[in-house]
Amino acid sequence: YYTDDLQHKKSILEHMLKMTDVNQSIIFTSTKKLAEDLTGYISDQGYAVEALHGDMHQRRRSKTIAKLRSGEIQFLVATD
């Protein structure tokens, strides 16, 4: 899904979070700050979520990807 702004993205996310047939999703954002903000927003809704962006050390990025692959997290919010 493409979104126009943060409010539109949150609206789409709310819809996706309610979908029971979605096991995992990757959400792309344009900035690291937005990735962190959306990660917090999704986490506050009670979902397993992690951020992935360029300011993270390689070790942390690798750990986050491993969590996604193992199914430990439902949502990955990453910079594009």
Side-chain angles (χ1 to χ4, degrees):
Y1 300 94
Y2 289 96
T3 59
D4 300 318
D5 55 27
L6 180 59
Q7 187 56 41
H8 187 210
K9 187 171 287 238
K10 282 185 176 181
S11 176
I12 297 280
L13 282 173
E14 288 174 15
H15 175 72
M16 286 182 64
L17 293 174
K18 293 176 185 173
M19 295 172 62
T20 58
D21 61 336
V22 175
N23 295 325
Q24 287 184 314
S25 292
I26 299 175
I27 302 154
F28 291 100
T29 65
S30 58
T31 66
K32 294 171 270 194
K33 178 167 179 12
L34 186 54
E36 292 293 339
D37 290 348
L38 286 175
T39 298
Y41 175 76
I42 295 169
S43 178
D44 289 347
Q45 305 294 318
Y47 296 93
V49 59
E50 298 251 353
L52 185 69
H53 53 73
D55 279 353
M56 298 168 68
H57 293 292
Q58 183 60 43
R59 186 175 196 182
R60 184 166 172 219
R61 286 194 301 260
S62 296
K63 188 175 179 179
T64 299
I65 295 296
K67 286 181 177 181
L68 181 68
R69 287 184 178 151
S70 71
E72 191 175 333
I73 58 175
Q74 294 171 276
F75 297 95
L76 178 68
V77 183
T79 54
D80 56 4

